[in-house]
């Protein structure tokens, strides 16, 4: 099983940065997710999580550092979180962290979306302000 590293892009569409590490079990999605073919982009990430949870079976830490995601990306994020919840239900150790810009005026909308993810998936999502990282 290999790591996944995708460098984020800002062009006509925005591709998030992806870093999934087999050895550490740390996965990160960062930047903006506004894609033309969202399912096509996220399908290999789903496959990676499926393989990891079925063969590696070590703890997974998922760090979301997304400053923007569109509706189609949101649906894929729910699917991803549901995969993590299934792993957790089956005895896997899962930590989900959502980093947010607490200086952003629209932060309430983002945190409301994260709360919706929690309700929809049943996963505990740790909300961490970016300002806490500066200390």
């Amino acid at each position: 099983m290999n790591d996944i590293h995708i460098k984020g892009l800002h062009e006509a569409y925005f591709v998030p940065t992806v870093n999934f590490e087999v050895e550490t079990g740390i996965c990160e999605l960062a930047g903006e997710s506004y894609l033309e073919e969202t399912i096509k982009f996220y399908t290999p990430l789903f496959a990676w999580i499926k393989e990891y949870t079925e063969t590696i079976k070590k703890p997974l830490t998922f760090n979301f550092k997304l400053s923007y995601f569109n509706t189609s990306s949101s649906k894929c994020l729910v699917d991803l979180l549901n995969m993590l919840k299934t792993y957790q239900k089956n005895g896997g150790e899962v930590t989900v962290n959502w980093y947010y810009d607490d200086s952003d005026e629209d932060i309430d909308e983002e945190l409301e979306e994260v709360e919706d993810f929690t309700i929809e998936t049943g996963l505990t999502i740790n909300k961490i302000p970016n300002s806490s990282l500066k200390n």
Side-chain angles (χ1 to χ4, degrees), residues 75-119:
K75 291 176 184 173
C76 287
L77 296 177
V78 168
D79 291 344
L80 190 150
L81 291 167
N82 279 325
M83 292 179 78
L84 297 176
K85 182 61 179 181
T86 298
Y87 182 51
Q88 188 179 61
K89 281 183 183 176
N90 292 329
E93 186 179 326
V94 175
T95 302
V96 179
N97 300 311
W98 194 283
Y99 294 86
Y100 65 92
D101 182 358
D102 51 340
S103 66
D104 185 352
E105 293 175 4
D106 298 323
I107 193 58
D108 291 339
E109 290 177 33
E110 180 182 343
L111 292 178
E112 189 174 300
E113 183 84 23
V114 175
E115 193 59 35
D116 289 346
F117 290 157
T118 298
I119 292 166

Side-chain angles (χ1 to χ4, degrees), residues 1-3 22 47-53 55-56:
M1 180 168 189
N2 296 317
D3 296 343
V22 175
W48 190 95
I49 292 168
K50 183 178 187 313
E51 183 177 355
Y52 186 95
T53 59
T55 60
I56 305 297

